[in-house]
Amino acid sequence: VPELPEAETIVRTLSPRIARLRIEKARYPGKRVWRRAPVPDLVGRRILGVSRYGKQVLLQLDRGHLLIRLGMTGALLLDRAPGPYTRAEFGLGSVTLLFDDIRQFGWLEYADGPPAHLGPDPLEITQAEFVQRIRGRRSQAKRVLLDQKFLRGIGNIYADEALHRAGIHPLAATVRLPRPRAARLHAEIQTLLTEAIEHRGSSISDYVDASGAPGSFQGRHRVYGREGEPCPACGAAVRRIVVAQRGTHFCPRCQRR
Ligand SMILES: [Zn+2]
């Protein structure tokens, strides 16, 4: 958290408020927030656009690009007073933009060009490309979905939910995944993420959008965080295992290897 739907919701609340504004003030209180030195001087630059890169937020400036990794608890908040967890504060004329981050796994990164280091966006990749890519991986389904170089934007919540919807076990070997099942996973990922965006994301670990509003998709999770509760499809108890150091939730009846 935040994953693709939460980042998309942040972008949609942020964009109409800050696009075209000029950065007049920039302050980075507390611990180091920039991923690498040197810290760029952003004062005077104009924000041309706000977009999403995987689960990160990207500000396109009139010169350069600012990538904001939200990490576990990062939030971009408009018109709030800075608090103890504020790691960056941007004055944009009449608007203030804060980057607050309780756990401090987030960071800011500046680059001259747009980012290109991660895999395709799950809402843009074609079925044919997805099927070919996933069957080319010698790993397990959950691990592959978490890999940002495979697809950018899916994290622990939406990996579990997508695999449940597609009836695929988190430990299933991707290289042996039959083409129709891989194609179904592609379709389920796109439907899931679209639904989650419509519900403004899942509010887990204090997630809120740029206006401070929570999402509501957490009420529609089928397996994530529901260990021991009945699978909505078949009634079997949802099970939890650990895959790639992440708590992984699945239905032992609906999801096949
Ligand atoms: Zn089930």
Side-chain angles (χ1 to χ4, degrees):
V1 200
E3 303 181 23
L4 184 153
E6 292 77 34
E8 180 66 27
T9 305
I10 291 169
V11 165
R12 290 180 186 190
T13 46
L14 213 49
S15 182
R17 294 287 315 282
I18 70 166
R20 307 301 305 161
L21 298 184
R22 193 180 292 281
I23 299 174
E24 293 178 1
K25 197 180 92 176
R27 204 171 67 86
Y28 313 109
K31 282 191 187 153
R32 196 170 79 94
V33 68
W34 288 94
R35 191 179 188 196
R36 52 178 138 249
V39 173
D41 182 11
L42 300 178
V43 172
R45 299 197 202 187
R46 193 178 290 280
I47 299 167
L48 296 185
V50 186
S51 59
R52 180 179 57 71
Y53 186 66
K55 41 187 160 177
Q56 306 174 2
V57 174
L58 180 66
L59 302 189
Q60 190 198 339
L61 308 175
D62 52 5
R63 193 160 48 86
H65 297 258
L66 173 58
L67 192 61
I68 302 161
R69 188 179 116 117
L70 300 162
M72 292 274 288
T73 56
L76 289 167
L77 298 167
L78 290 165
D79 300 330
R80 300 288 189 89
Y85 303 114
T86 299
R87 300 181 67 199
E89 177 183 359
F90 297 102
L92 311 169
S94 57
V95 176
T96 302
L97 175 64
L98 299 183
F99 176 51
D100 277 17
D101 187 11
I102 296 172
R103 301 274 300 270
Q104 307 211 342
F105 289 120
W107 39 246
L108 306 181
E109 183 171 19
Y110 175 80
D112 291 331
H117 56 292
L118 302 178
D121 192 282
L123 290 173
E124 290 169 4
I125 189 171
T126 64
Q127 184 191 88
E129 190 189 352
F130 179 88
V131 170
Q132 187 196 5
R133 280 174 68 89
I134 197 164
R135 296 177 82 243
R137 290 290 185 116
R138 293 192 167 274
S139 187
Q140 296 160 328
K142 172 78 183 256
R143 287 179 189 273
V144 171
L145 290 187
L146 289 178
D147 181 357
Q148 300 300 299
K149 290 194 183 299
F150 174 69
L151 287 181
R152 59 177 194 258
I154 296 177
N156 207 35
I157 296 173
Y158 297 101
D160 283 5
E161 292 295 308
L163 289 172
H164 179 265
R165 288 179 179 223
I168 295 171
H169 194 286
L171 299 178
T174 46
V175 76
R176 289 200 303 269
L177 207 55
R179 285 177 190 279
R181 299 188 69 209
R184 181 169 165 207
L185 178 57
H186 171 264
E188 295 289 2
I189 286 171
Q190 294 198 337
T191 307
L192 167 70
L193 295 176
T194 304
E195 283 178 24
I197 291 168
E198 284 167 5
H199 288 88
R200 308 178 62 81
S202 302
S203 281
I204 306 276
S205 306
D206 306 327
Y207 160 77
V208 289
D209 70 19
S211 61
S216 66
F217 196 68
Q218 65 280 5
R220 293 171 181 264
H221 292 170
R222 299 182 187 177
V223 287
Y224 180 82
R226 299 188 65 248
E227 183 186 10
E229 293 177 45
C231 164
C234 76
V238 170
R239 216 170 270 174
R240 182 184 185 276
I241 56 174
V242 175
V243 182
Q245 287 117 50
R246 309 300 301 275
T248 296
H249 309 78
F250 69 103
C251 171
R253 199 180 291 165
C254 293
Q255 294 176 250
R256 289 175 291 136
R257 291 234 191 178

